[in-house]
Amino acid sequence: MFADIGLPDAAEHSIKADIVPRIAARIKSKGLTQAKAASPLGLAQPGVSKLLRGHFAGYTYDRLFGYLNALGEKICIEISEAKTKKDARLELEMTD
């Protein structure tokens, strides 16, 4: 979607757009309000609200992964050699 509208760094935005709903789902599964989620995330409630509404452009992967860790998620990063230059890309795989 981000590539379709010509957004620079479309792959990065797409992956962040996949991470944020996971953060939202984890907040919900823990029965937290945005105000209660703010503390472990190190954000104010308005910051949680903005993030969950998709305003994530200023967030790094490290920060988003840190939020998932704070909410009890394990993050595993795998680096492997790509067979071709075209295959050299960033991918996100989430499991339950």
Side-chain angles (χ1 to χ4, degrees), residues 16-17 20-21 23-24 27 34-35 37-38 41 43-59 63-64 67:
K16 288 179 183 180
V20 172
I23 294 169
I27 289 170
Q34 288 181 3
L41 298 181
L43 295 170
Q45 182 278 325
V48 175
S49 177
K50 285 178 70 173
L51 177 64
L52 299 182
R53 287 189 328 235
H55 299 272
F56 52 79
Y59 291 90
R63 196 165 174 195
L64 294 174
Y67 295 157

Side-chain angles (χ1 to χ4, degrees), residues 8-95:
D9 302 317
E12 179 179 341
H13 288 289
S14 180
I15 289 176
K16 288 179 183 180
D18 290 339
I19 295 170
V20 172
R22 183 69 172 240
I23 294 169
R26 193 69 172 146
I27 289 170
K28 184 177 180 179
S29 74
K30 294 176 82 59
L32 300 174
T33 63
Q34 288 181 3
K36 294 276 189 200
S39 180
L41 298 181
L43 295 170
Q45 182 278 325
V48 175
S49 177
K50 285 178 70 173
L51 177 64
L52 299 182
R53 287 189 328 235
H55 299 272
F56 52 79
Y59 291 90
T60 63
Y61 291 125
D62 185 51
R63 196 165 174 195
L64 294 174
F65 291 153
Y67 295 157
L68 286 169
N69 285 152
L71 294 166
E73 292 277 341
K74 178 181 175 182
I75 309 295
C76 298
I77 297 173
E78 178 183 319
I79 300 171
S80 62
E81 185 174 351
K83 295 189 188 305
T84 68
K85 187 165 177 90
K86 184 179 178 183
D87 291 336
R89 64 185 176 278
L90 184 61
E91 295 177 339
L92 177 66
E93 181 180 320
M94 290 188 273
T95 59

